[in-house]
Amino acid sequence: MKIDILTLFPNMFDGFISESIIKRAIEKGSVEINIHNFRDYADNPHKRVDDYPYGGGEGMVLMPQPIFDCIDAIKTDDSFIILLTPQGVQFNQKIATELTLKKHIIMVCGHYEGFDERIRSLADLELSIGDYVLTGGELPSMVISDSIIRLLDGVIKEDSHVKDSFQEGLLDYPVYTHPADFRGMKVPEVLLSGHHENIRKWRYNEQIKRTKERRPDLIKKEG
């Protein structure tokens, strides 16, 4: 298996890939892990990877260009792309087992206020490791990688894993940043309008829609 991880903080992975079972799995050839700093793919002079969100709001949003270009450079026909986000499907042992069947996994670590919504078009799967928010996707990528790698043949004894056990509210609305039109994917017109009340209503409706689609259990809790 090959795992490629896109991050802005590659040094965070030094210990992860050079210690314990993960190190031994790499040395045995059971897994290949590559860490990519997607800032290296930014096409602007200052290597900027984030920008202010259209429509206003707090924080900075990751731009699509560096992440798209990085994935374009490393993906193959066997690639399975995972976006790490609090809005994703909650990771569990069943998913870990299913992912062991993939030949090439690419994980994208978010940071700052979130992803430009168009980055989601890259993903085959969006994953979360729990209903809480971290400063970035680096730790989740390590958790998920660890849980998959330990299930690979020969990494640990089969008897060691065959019997393994296993805030309320709305999800966030979609966010976008520059450019307004990226690869034919356009920012919704309401966010370019400057009409704050319409933007507020659109965002709230999107929160309701997304939560019903992705986490209906949260709607039931509210009720």
Side-chain angles (χ1 to χ4, degrees):
M1 174 181 282
K2 180 179 180 181
I3 298 176
D4 286 284
I5 300 174
L6 278 62
T7 175
L8 292 174
F9 302 96
N11 292 340
M12 289 182 67
F13 295 85
D14 291 349
F16 175 69
I17 63 178
S18 63
E19 300 289 344
S20 190
I21 291 172
I22 304 302
K23 177 185 178 182
R24 296 199 295 271
I26 294 171
E27 291 175 343
K28 289 177 62 175
S30 299
V31 66
E32 173 187 340
I33 302 178
N34 302 301
I35 311 299
H36 306 269
N37 187 342
F38 60 83
R39 190 183 299 278
D40 294 337
Y41 292 82
D43 65 0
N44 58 84
H46 301 290
K47 294 296 181 181
R48 186 172 181 176
V49 297
D50 62 331
D51 208 339
Y52 295 101
Y54 280 117
E58 297 297 323
M60 305 292 282
V61 177
L62 288 173
M63 302 163 68
Q65 179 273 313
I67 292 175
F68 269 81
D69 284 5
C70 183
I71 287 181
D72 284 347
I74 65 175
K75 70 180 179 181
T76 69
D77 291 340
D78 294 323
S79 299
F80 187 82
I81 301 173
I82 298 173
L83 197 64
L84 302 171
T85 167
Q87 299 181 17
V89 175
Q90 190 150 315
F91 185 67
N92 57 32
Q93 191 71 12
K94 180 176 182 293
I95 295 174
T97 302
E98 292 170 351
L99 289 176
T100 63
L101 302 177
K102 305 299 182 184
K103 294 180 179 179
H104 182 207
I105 294 174
I106 298 175
M107 284 188 267
V108 184
C109 302
H111 220 76
Y112 307 120
E113 187 61 22
F115 294 99
D116 183 295
E117 185 70 10
R118 290 162 291 191
I119 295 171
R120 295 185 187 278
S121 69
L122 293 167
D124 296 300
L125 179 64
E126 296 184 22
L127 283 180
S128 165
I129 61 169
D131 291 342
Y132 47 88
V133 179
L134 300 172
T135 55
E138 286 73 21
L139 293 176
S141 74
M142 296 181 209
V143 168
I144 294 169
S145 295
D146 185 289
S147 65
I148 296 169
I149 293 168
R150 66 189 297 276
L151 297 176
L152 298 177
D153 289 343
V155 172
I156 61 175
K157 293 180 179 180
E158 188 175 1
D159 288 345
S160 297
H161 65 74
V162 293
K163 296 182 180 180
D164 279 344
S165 304
F166 309 145
Q167 278 164 324
E168 291 185 14
L170 300 173
L171 298 179
D172 205 359
Y173 48 76
V175 292
Y176 300 83
T177 188
H178 295 94
D181 186 341
F182 183 76
R183 298 190 180 186
M185 294 177 283
K186 299 180 179 180
V187 173
E189 289 294 329
V190 64
L191 298 180
L192 307 177
S193 68
H195 195 297
H196 299 299
E197 181 61 17
N198 286 349
I199 291 171
R200 184 193 66 78
K201 290 178 180 178
W202 180 86
R203 285 174 168 173
Y204 179 71
N205 288 334
E206 288 296 311
Q207 285 184 276
I208 295 292
K209 176 183 176 183
R210 177 162 289 182
T211 304
K212 285 181 177 178
E213 291 175 346
R214 302 181 180 212
R215 292 295 305 277
D217 56 302
L218 295 179
I219 299 292
K220 292 177 183 177
K221 288 180 183 178
E222 283 292 311

